[in-house]
Every structure is written in C-alpha cells, then in structure tokens.
Amino acid sequence: MLVSTDLHSELSANDLSCVATVCENSRATDHAVVLSPTRLAVIRCVERGTPADHSALATMLAEGDFVWAGLVYGERERSEPVGLIETFHIDELDQLVARLRDLRGPPDEAR
C-alpha cells in the first residue's frame, strides 16, 4: 500500500519511531508510533477513508493503548475525512509529522 510506505518513509526521515505495523485487512494498515517511552500514537493508512476507519481508531483510543490517533488517506474522491480523528491526505504528511512532534513535546521530555 503506497500510502503506508510513504508514511513509514516520512516517519523514519523525521526521527519518529514506528514500533509496530499491523495490516488489519487488505485495505488498512495501522502504525504504532512512539511519542515517548510511555506514550504511543496510532496512524491508520488507507486509500479511501470511511466512517468505519474513524470508529476503529476511536475504539483504539478508548481502549487506552494510544494517546492519539490519525488517519492518512490517498484518494480525495470518495474518502470521508470528517470525524473525531485527525485526518491527513497523503500530500499533507509534513503536517502529520509536525503534529506528532507537537505531541512528542520538547526533546528532553521525549526521552
């Protein structure tokens, strides 16, 4: 999945660690990203965003394993980027990285 590959490359290039990648099904890949030793974010990559993706991410947050969740999608048409989860088009990976850095906090807090 191109969206997932692009995200993983962007995270690595910006010193953000992906500690796990799970292919939920053939259309969605979830990445767990380290914000600090005790805080993780989850990012779902899909070609088309749907309400089901937002629900799945909201459930992951509610379960408490993650402190933040985001959705990255590739196709603008037929995607539904509205929901409680922050959503980024693949062309907005720089904004996603900036958001993750904000969540991580100052460098001395991240360690």
Side-chain angles (χ1 to χ4, degrees):
M1 175 180 292
L2 186 57
V3 173
S4 183
T5 303
D6 289 352
L7 172 67
H8 204 272
S9 297
E10 191 72 19
L11 293 173
S12 296
N14 284 281
D15 198 29
L16 290 161
S17 299
C18 179
V19 294
T21 300
V22 176
C23 230
E24 181 182 288
N25 51 45
S26 62
R27 63 167 293 282
T29 302
D30 298 331
H31 299 275
V33 178
V34 176
L35 299 174
S36 74
T38 60
R39 297 173 65 234
L40 295 173
V42 61
I43 302 167
R44 174 165 286 197
C45 296
V46 294
E47 288 302 319
R48 291 186 197 115
T50 67
D53 294 310
H54 288 272
S55 292
L57 289 167
T59 298
M60 288 183 219
L61 285 176
E63 290 173 349
D65 293 330
F66 301 99
V67 298
W68 183 85
L71 177 70
V72 177
Y73 64 98
E75 291 185 22
R76 287 195 191 271
E77 286 191 33
R78 294 181 281 168
S79 285
E80 299 180 36
V82 178
L84 299 174
I85 303 301
E86 290 185 63
T87 306
F88 303 85
H89 184 263
I90 191 68
D91 292 337
E92 301 170 327
L93 287 181
D94 58 333
Q95 294 172 20
L96 171 59
V97 166
R99 180 69 172 118
L100 292 170
R101 286 185 172 188
D102 286 345
L103 290 165
R104 187 168 60 178
D108 55 347
E109 281 184 24
R111 302 199 195 299

